[in-house]
Amino acid sequence: MPEEETVSQHSESASELTGKVRLKRSLGYFDSVCFLIGSIVGAGIFVSPAGVLEYSQLNVGVSLCIWAASGVLTMMCSLCYAELGSALPYAGGEFFHVNRGLGSLPAFIFIWTLTLFIRPASNAARSLTFAEYVTKPFYSGCPAPDLVKKMIAIGILWVLGIINTISVKLATWVQNIFTVLKMLALCLIVIYGIVLLATDKNSTRNFQNAFDGPVPNAAQIAESFFQGLYAFGGWNFLNYLAEEIKHPSKNIPRTVYTSITAVIVFYLLVNISYLTVLSPREIVSSAAVSVTWADRTIPTVAWIIPVSVAVSIFGSLNGGMFMLGRLNYAGSKEGHLPSIISMLHVQYLTPAPAMIISIILATIFVIPSELLSLTNYFTFCTWLLVGLTTASLIALRYREPNLHRPYKVFLPIAYVVVAVALFLVIAPIVQNPKIEYFYALLFMLSSLIVYFPFVYFKLRIPYFDRITCFLQIFLEVSPTDLYEDHKDQ
């Protein structure tokens, strides 16, 4: 077709001008650790302790065990992903691995769900939470107007989106700085708790006979587990930037061990610090545990903690924006999304069209923020994807035994992860069946209406190539090199 020839000619000229048009491996070990920790540590650790304790029946010993178990499961999942990321170090994370291990159809169903709903809604929710904390000092005693919060949320989405579009190095710098800042805030909480335990005998009252008290039933333990896992959300983001990590065969496993271990240790110590100051009932009744803790311990500079929460959310949101751009990019590269989305800016070498789509979708979710309440009914999709991704690892072990695997996880761990993921998919639906879960499933299955004509049968839309050519020239983007040219390990 003439339009295809025009696109091809423009791509060739762009390649001649810029050399290799592809994502650059520019992220080192420290960058990867900051990215992963920064993506995990958001508002969860400042809020979730109340939920874990509530569903643990205020049993301190059980709640700490839930936090430890959540960390262990996160580590097991991360190690499975480390094998896939080091063996197949390409952008796209779970989507790429499910596509490779289980096929095109399940991969498309999940990129449809993740791209159009879960990830944009998650970024929108983070931006609104950020706006909530930022506006608190200016509206003491009353909530900020919704319009103000939405304007701030949209503004921060576009600022981070532009940063991620024009420079990977700048986006990495932002992530590193904000990760260091949020870890300093957690260090403040941890150190205060350790000092208090060493100097004040009353601070140990909540740990005496920690397992005495009501024992939660299986349903309550499951719900408590969900609350703990929420705080570890973001552990799966590392593989989305595998194509940009230097020496991924070494750095991906090292990053997982370092980051997840650090987060587990900090989360346990932070919870212990909360319990040295507040009783379980005070924690459960608090809207923001960390703020209540600060009011009690450092009242003159208590503002540090709300600011720290905002900083944590900002860093987590930056990681979410970065990740969603790579997901869209990878989906397009595999032919599951329009080809323009997989193109890179010829100067910045960033997936500019993918980032623009990500910003627009997140902005749409901010405007009618009532839609965000529906994300609660899509949580089972997240763990279904984890289960399918780990099942892809198992499938590839048998289907591609000769695939070079710089790191191999102990295979029974993968089977345990699949079993736990299946439980976490079924449990909320069985425990509290609602029509919204059916709507979520229906939304996922609606992807088949698009998949079969446009992906499986490759139906072409008239004039779509001409539109792609116009956008390619307008955005100054070019197709990337093939995967085989880019496995620089």
Side-chain angles (χ1 to χ4, degrees):
M1 294 177 66
E3 292 87 351
E4 291 176 328
E5 292 176 5
T6 307
V7 172
S8 176
Q9 289 169 4
H10 182 70
S11 302
E12 290 172 5
S13 61
S15 298
E16 289 170 4
L17 289 172
T18 60
K20 294 289 185 180
V21 179
R22 65 187 190 188
L23 295 172
K24 298 296 183 184
R25 293 200 182 277
S26 57
L27 306 180
Y29 168 67
F30 178 75
D31 299 323
S32 303
V33 168
C34 286
F35 181 91
L36 187 53
I37 292 177
S39 298
I40 295 173
V41 181
I45 188 57
F46 300 98
V47 178
S48 289
V52 174
L53 261 174
E54 179 181 357
Y55 290 105
S56 298
Q57 293 291 287
L58 304 183
N59 192 313
V60 171
V62 171
S63 71
L64 291 176
C65 287
I66 292 292
W67 278 104
S70 299
V72 170
L73 177 61
T74 300
M75 177 64 84
M76 293 170 68
C77 295
S78 300
L79 293 178
C80 293
Y81 277 47
E83 174 177 325
L84 291 167
S86 58
L88 301 167
Y90 305 117
E94 295 145 321
F95 163 77
F96 182 87
H97 302 136
V98 170
N99 190 52
R100 176 79 170 250
L102 301 181
S104 177
L105 179 57
F108 183 81
I109 291 174
F110 277 100
I111 197 171
W112 171 272
T113 309
L114 289 173
T115 298
L116 293 184
F117 197 95
I118 294 179
R119 294 308 181 195
S122 176
N123 288 340
R126 286 193 186 106
S127 67
L128 286 167
T129 307
F130 172 83
E132 179 79 33
Y133 277 94
V134 166
T135 55
K136 271 187 178 181
F138 304 99
Y139 292 89
S140 58
C142 64
D146 283 344
L147 180 60
V148 172
K149 290 188 287 188
K150 289 182 179 183
M151 293 290 288
I152 292 173
I154 292 172
I156 203 64
L157 283 171
W158 281 88
V159 167
L160 285 176
I162 291 169
I163 288 173
N164 278 274
T165 299
I166 63 174
S167 175
V168 172
K169 183 177 292 186
L170 182 57
T172 304
W173 181 84
V174 168
Q175 190 73 357
N176 293 352
I177 293 296
F178 279 83
T179 297
V180 171
L181 290 175
K182 71 176 71 177
M183 295 311 290
L184 288 174
L186 292 183
C187 283
L188 171 65
I189 297 173
V190 168
I191 292 171
Y192 192 97
I194 293 173
V195 171
L196 206 60
L197 283 172
T199 57
D200 186 355
K201 291 183 180 179
N202 290 331
S203 64
T204 62
R205 65 189 183 280
N206 290 327
F207 305 105
Q208 296 169 3
N209 304 315
F211 288 93
D212 288 353
V215 178
N217 59 37
Q220 290 168 330
I221 289 176
E223 189 60 43
S224 182
F225 204 45
F226 275 115
Q227 296 290 324
L229 290 172
Y230 167 75
F232 284 94
W235 61 266
N236 55 336
F237 283 9
L238 184 64
N239 282 14
Y240 285 90
L241 59 147
E243 199 166 328
E244 295 162 89
I245 296 176
K246 298 175 183 176
H247 310 297
S249 59
K250 297 178 181 178
N251 283 333
I252 288 179
R254 288 172 61 200
T255 298
V256 165
Y257 278 113
T258 304
S259 305
I260 304 300
T261 301
V263 172
I264 293 172
V265 171
F266 267 94
Y267 277 13
L268 285 171
L269 292 176
V270 166
N271 275 279
I272 290 171
S273 182
Y274 289 154
L275 288 163
T276 61
V277 176
L278 305 171
S279 69
R281 291 192 182 280
E282 287 175 321
I283 291 175
V284 168
S285 62
S286 173
V289 180
S290 57
V291 175
T292 305
W293 178 91
D295 289 338
R296 187 76 58 83
T297 57
I298 48 174
T300 55
V301 288
W303 56 268
I304 290 176
I305 297 302
V307 170
S308 300
V309 176
V311 165
S312 295
I313 298 168
F314 187 90
S316 180
L317 177 58
N318 183 59
M321 296 293 291
F322 194 101
M323 167 264 179
L324 183 55
R326 272 59 186 174
L327 173 63
N328 292 338
Y329 162 81
S332 174
K333 202 166 186 179
E334 290 293 332
H336 289 190
L337 295 174
S339 60
I340 185 66
I341 298 176
S342 67
M343 298 186 188
L344 300 182
H345 194 279
V346 294
Q347 178 182 349
Y348 304 133
L349 298 180
T350 60
M355 287 306 310
I356 293 169
I357 290 293
S358 303
I359 303 167
I360 292 172
L361 289 173
T363 302
I364 290 171
F365 275 93
V366 168
I367 297 169
S369 53
E370 294 77 13
L371 286 174
L372 296 178
S373 62
L374 296 176
T375 57
N376 296 328
Y377 303 102
F378 279 82
T379 51
F380 77 92
C381 300
T382 302
W383 283 101
L384 184 56
L385 180 54
V386 172
L388 287 177
T389 303
T390 310
S392 301
L393 180 152
I394 298 170
L396 288 171
R397 283 281 189 99
Y398 295 102
R399 286 174 46 196
E400 300 185 35
N402 297 324
L403 177 67
H404 177 59
R405 293 176 174 85
Y407 171 81
K408 292 181 72 172
V409 71
F410 184 47
L411 197 56
I413 291 178
Y415 285 105
V416 171
V417 169
V418 171
V420 173
L422 184 62
F423 167 77
L424 293 174
V425 168
I426 296 173
I429 300 174
V430 173
Q431 182 181 344
N432 189 20
K434 290 186 177 181
I435 190 65
E436 284 83 358
Y437 288 117
F438 173 73
Y439 293 151
L441 181 61
L442 200 62
F443 179 83
M444 294 173 65
L445 294 178
S446 68
S447 62
L448 301 179
I449 300 173
V450 177
Y451 174 79
F452 282 105
F454 298 110
V455 178
Y456 188 80
F457 292 109
K458 301 186 185 301
L459 180 68
R460 303 187 69 84
I461 300 174
Y463 301 107
F464 196 75
D465 290 324
R466 184 170 296 177
I467 295 171
T468 300
C469 181
F470 168 77
L471 291 174
Q472 185 178 348
I473 296 170
F474 178 74
L475 297 173
E476 298 183 2
V477 294
S478 171
T480 61
D481 297 331
L482 298 176
Y483 284 125
E484 289 75 15
D485 296 330
H486 194 37
K487 195 171 181 179
D488 178 20
Q489 297 190 60

